[in-house]
Amino acid sequence: MDFLDRENRAKQQTWLLVWLFGAAVLAAVVINCLILGACILPFLEPSRYGLSVFTFVIAVVGNVAGAFFEPFHFLRRLGEHHLGAWITLGTLISVTFGCVYKIRMLARGGPAMAELLGGRRIESGTRDPDERRLLDVVEEMAIASSTAVPSVYLLDRERGINTFAAGHELDNVAIGVTLGCMKLLTRDELQGMIAHEFSHVLNGDTRLNMKIMALAHGLFWPTILGRVLLRGTTEAPEIGESIFDDSELQKSYPLIPVAVLFMTIGSATLPLVRLIKSTICRKRECLADAEAVQFTRNPSGIEGALKKIGGLLKQGRLDTPFAETASHLYFVNSNFEPWFGFLSTHPPLTDRILVLDPKFDGQFKHILSLPSPDAARETEFDRIYEENVRRARAKGNELMADHVPLVVLYTSALVRKVVTLMPPATSTFPLGSNTAT
């Protein structure tokens, strides 16, 4: 790929990002008008039955149903109280604030991104043998890709196996590596993962990824703030610690309601954010895998790294509350796979391995996690936790396949029946109507 091809590709991806972001903002406005409008209207249109928790819940359900079955009437009610305009304005201000804040925060490029995720810069004079090996591998891949040697950051508190590259330009690129990646991989496997990141740097993906992160933050920042409030810190837990420890929970008790509120508001836009990232980033991962093989001349390196990630209970997941907002930067998914595969920022591990090894049977050999102060207890906890998650996801998929169509059908029929039985009035839903006395 020559310079002109890269420039044209970058322009096409930038325009695609702009259109997707515009569509996401429009969808966020609609979702907020629906949710906030349904919750605020009961206070502006008192019910004849008074306002209690029960009548409020019924009114909200009636307003949501009315928005689907009589959308123009719902919009007229929002317009009468100027709610639509205020909610739209608030959403746009919130998105703008989030984008501008993140753009200013990431102005320094890759180092700012690495420090946000809890990275510690590895100095060239380090005497730690693992850190020395990591720096040597980065320098080798810089020579192989004919690029400058970037800054290298170690995420000391992350036991999963993952890496990332971030930066606006070649002179401010940073490579981030988790502790699990540095400790659990062989030299060839580490080389394969680092080569993958250099492919992103060489193709200009890091610049686009920084833009995506700034725009996505505008839509997603309430959820990040909620997670920080719930944890009481912006840092990932120390190895061996958990946010569910009694001491940690006592610190966050007063902030839990506020944290849940922010996380609920932000979660409404999470599918939109993931869809943007998946549409733009997903295909580039396979290209980076192929170019990593070209750089290293050793397909078994990156193949072995992918297999080890699949065999680790933690896989590539990160504990930092900022993991989701930077999910598109990493070598593999930094969170659990979404329920719907098309929302994933990365192809499945099995698919990526099959490209490198067509004979792969899909079975991952289990590897042990990094030790901690209470390794036996933590390993057992991880095993139980992972098994429960797998069971829950399998059960959820079964329910989605077998019962969701029936639930939707019966719910629609029930709502229509409730609407039919309601007494005639100016509004179809008297609990949220200003005609009630």
Side-chain angles (χ1 to χ4, degrees):
M1 184 181 295
D2 60 24
F3 175 77
L4 290 179
D5 288 336
R6 287 179 182 149
E7 186 178 29
N8 291 332
R9 177 170 171 264
K11 289 180 179 179
Q12 292 174 357
Q13 290 177 330
T14 300
W15 277 111
L16 177 61
L17 175 59
V18 170
W19 282 106
L20 288 174
F21 179 70
V25 171
L26 179 61
V29 169
V30 173
I31 293 172
N32 287 340
C33 284
L34 173 63
I35 297 175
L36 297 179
C39 294
I40 296 174
L41 281 175
F43 295 97
L44 300 178
E45 301 174 351
S47 167
R48 72 181 68 175
Y49 307 107
L51 187 62
S52 64
V53 174
F54 177 74
T55 57
F56 173 76
V57 172
I58 295 299
V60 170
V61 172
N63 288 330
V64 172
F68 284 100
F69 290 104
E70 293 187 355
F72 294 107
H73 177 69
F74 182 75
L75 291 175
R76 185 168 65 250
R77 292 171 62 199
L78 291 180
E80 289 175 357
H81 301 286
H82 307 291
L83 270 181
W86 282 111
I87 294 174
T88 300
L89 180 62
T91 302
L92 295 177
I93 291 175
S94 171
V95 172
T96 303
F97 167 78
C99 293
V100 172
Y101 171 79
K102 185 59 66 173
I103 289 173
R104 291 178 62 87
M105 174 180 286
L106 300 179
R108 291 192 297 116
M113 183 72 256
E115 292 168 5
L116 176 67
L117 297 174
R120 169 181 61 83
R121 182 167 182 172
I122 301 179
E123 302 297 336
S124 58
T126 180
R127 295 185 178 181
D128 183 273
D130 291 323
E131 294 181 0
R132 185 69 261 167
R133 182 187 66 163
L134 174 59
L135 291 180
D136 290 342
V137 169
V138 171
E139 291 175 359
E140 291 169 5
M141 291 301 97
I143 294 173
S145 59
S146 301
T147 59
V149 179
S151 304
V152 182
Y153 286 78
L154 178 65
L155 279 61
D156 294 290
R157 297 188 176 188
E158 303 292 354
R159 294 184 300 141
I161 300 177
N162 224 327
T163 58
F164 68 88
H168 298 296
E169 304 293 341
L170 291 177
D171 58 353
N172 60 26
V173 168
I175 299 287
V177 178
T178 62
L179 182 65
C181 179
M182 186 179 73
K183 293 286 188 180
L184 297 175
L185 298 186
T186 65
R187 196 180 197 283
D188 287 345
E189 293 164 349
L190 181 62
Q191 191 178 60
M193 290 186 66
I194 297 299
H196 174 101
E197 301 304 335
F198 269 94
S199 171
H200 286 310
V201 174
L202 193 63
N203 290 322
D205 296 338
T206 54
R207 184 185 305 111
L208 180 64
N209 286 341
M210 297 290 276
K211 295 177 183 178
I212 294 175
M213 184 172 181
L215 297 180
H217 187 78
L219 295 167
F220 192 65
W221 69 264
T223 297
I224 300 172
L225 179 59
R227 289 175 178 173
V228 171
L229 292 175
L230 187 63
R231 297 182 179 206
T233 178
T234 59
E235 298 180 351
E238 292 277 4
I239 294 180
E241 294 181 351
S242 171
I243 62 172
F244 298 107
D245 292 340
D246 292 338
S247 59
E248 297 298 325
L249 284 175
Q250 290 175 3
K251 295 178 184 177
S252 60
Y253 274 151
L255 298 176
I256 287 178
V258 180
V260 171
L261 174 63
F262 276 105
M263 291 176 68
T264 302
I265 294 174
S267 63
T269 59
L270 176 59
L272 305 176
V273 172
R274 286 190 170 177
L275 182 60
I276 291 175
K277 293 178 179 180
S278 173
T279 302
I280 296 180
C281 303
R282 191 180 176 96
K283 293 181 179 179
R284 302 205 315 270
E285 297 303 321
C286 293
L287 173 62
D289 286 348
E291 292 191 344
V293 174
Q294 293 180 355
F295 291 151
T296 62
R297 306 295 181 185
N298 181 17
S300 63
I302 190 171
E303 175 192 334
L306 289 168
K307 289 180 178 178
K308 274 192 176 178
I309 293 172
L312 184 68
L313 286 175
K314 189 78 173 176
Q315 293 196 349
R317 292 188 292 277
L318 275 66
D319 294 321
T320 172
F322 302 104
E324 177 62 42
T325 190
S327 59
H328 58 295
L329 298 177
Y330 301 111
F331 179 75
V332 293
N333 284 324
S334 60
N335 287 292
F336 286 102
E337 290 281 349
W339 290 104
F340 302 102
F342 67 89
L343 294 178
S344 177
T345 55
H346 294 71
L349 288 175
T350 304
D351 292 353
R352 294 171 68 177
I353 295 174
L354 285 173
V355 174
L356 302 167
D357 179 15
K359 297 181 180 180
F360 178 60
D361 60 3
Q363 300 298 316
F364 295 101
K365 181 181 178 181
H366 176 67
I367 65 172
L368 297 176
S369 302
L370 287 177
S372 71
D374 193 356
R377 173 179 173 271
E378 189 166 341
T379 300
E380 179 64 14
F381 175 81
D382 281 352
R383 185 190 66 77
I384 295 174
Y385 175 74
E386 294 288 337
E387 183 62 26
N388 288 338
V389 169
R390 290 187 183 122
R391 289 179 178 176
R393 292 178 69 84
K395 189 65 176 177
N397 289 333
E398 179 183 341
L399 291 173
M400 290 285 288
D402 297 340
H403 302 297
V404 165
L406 291 177
V407 171
V408 172
L409 178 63
Y410 287 135
T411 302
S412 301
L414 178 61
V415 172
R416 288 183 180 276
K417 187 67 174 177
V418 171
V419 173
T420 304
L421 293 176
M422 283 185 173
T426 303
S427 170
T428 306
F429 303 94
L431 287 175
S433 172
N434 56 9
T435 63
T437 58

